[in-house]
Amino acid sequence: MASDHAGFGLKEELRRLLAAGGHDIVDFGTGDESACDLVDYAYPAALAVGRQEVDRAILVDGVGFGSAMIANRILGVDAVVCQDPFCATLARSHSDSNVLCLGAKVIGSGIAVAVVDAWMTSAFLAEEKYARRVEKGRAVAERHLRPLDEM
């Protein structure tokens, strides 16, 4: 998990809930609500996903878009912004996303908890049509992003 100052409170709430649910959490920061630069925290978290050091990441900032923009620049990361449980379910089941980005200024904690629950409990359907589409998207990334071992 990672956040900037705008997402810190929601990240902390979600971190506690996930830990209570038995999930192992790696917290990449930030550690408080002091103004900070999102990239300093979202980038290491996304990099850990791209390197397969962690299975998934949840990034929280003000709107969610900043986190997604940073994360999607890493090969092996498929980051999505979700603001409702329906989209979160499809982001996993149809698109096999591995980074969830939330906007603390956009959704409240009640909806955020439902979004995280939907995303964490949905599995990739792996039906031919979804697998084909996901693979095409990953092929685009492989053509244009550098492999992580070159970094």
Side-chain angles (χ1 to χ4, degrees), residues 5-63:
H5 55 283
F8 174 74
L10 183 56
K11 179 197 72 162
E12 288 299 295
E13 180 180 347
L14 295 170
R15 183 185 58 76
R16 287 189 298 271
L17 286 169
L18 288 167
H23 296 279
D24 293 326
I25 308 296
V26 178
D27 190 340
F28 290 88
T30 188
D32 59 39
E33 292 180 342
S34 300
C36 64
D37 296 331
L38 174 62
V39 70
D40 295 338
Y41 305 99
Y43 173 61
L47 198 56
V49 173
R51 290 181 171 154
Q52 299 179 353
E53 297 167 353
V54 299
D55 295 327
R56 297 187 203 173
I58 298 174
L59 310 178
V60 188
D61 62 38
V63 180

Side-chain angles (χ1 to χ4, degrees), residues 66-127:
S67 293
M69 289 173 61
I70 293 163
N72 279 321
R73 292 180 172 142
I74 305 294
L75 186 62
V77 171
D78 295 305
V80 294
V81 178
C82 295
Q83 298 171 348
D84 62 72
F86 176 73
C87 290
T89 299
L90 293 181
R92 283 287 305 135
S93 64
H94 290 194
S95 302
D96 200 20
S97 62
N98 55 11
V99 174
L100 174 64
C101 303
L102 300 171
K105 294 180 179 181
V106 177
I107 60 174
S109 67
I111 292 178
V113 168
V115 168
V116 168
D117 182 60
W119 190 74
M120 292 294 292
T121 59
S122 297
F124 180 51
L125 292 178
E127 295 174 13

